[in-house]
Amino acid sequence: RAKQVGEPDRLELEAMDFHYRLYEGYKALAQSEPGRIKRIDATKTPDEMKEDIYAYLEELCAKEQI
């Protein structure tokens, strides 16, 4: 169901406590499964994040011989 731009969705309406718990849960999951989950530094520019992602994917493909 499409909504108009600017109208908050269900997740955006959640309290900050919900978002903090979600963040902590994903952070713990990433720490417990580093081979499966890669954290991306979102403080970087979109181009820098893209480069980090591509570098990680190249590393992963080389490791898995893909």
Side-chain angles (χ1 to χ4, degrees):
R1 171 174 69 136
K3 288 192 170 199
Q4 292 180 351
V5 174
E7 188 176 333
D9 64 20
R10 182 183 62 83
L11 290 176
E12 292 171 330
L13 293 172
E14 290 287 346
M16 284 307 296
D17 181 59
F18 167 82
H19 295 285
Y20 180 74
R21 287 183 286 121
L22 192 64
Y23 165 77
E24 288 297 321
Y26 276 114
K27 187 170 79 170
L29 191 58
Q31 289 172 343
S32 70
E33 300 192 46
R36 189 170 80 97
I37 299 169
K38 175 72 174 168
R39 290 184 68 193
I40 304 299
D41 182 355
T43 64
K44 295 182 176 184
T45 68
D47 284 337
E48 290 171 325
M49 288 188 293
K50 180 181 75 174
E51 291 302 317
D52 288 350
I53 292 167
Y54 285 164
Y56 176 71
L57 290 174
E58 286 177 356
E59 176 186 319
L60 185 61
C61 288
K63 180 180 172 185
E64 298 294 325
Q65 298 180 342
I66 297 174

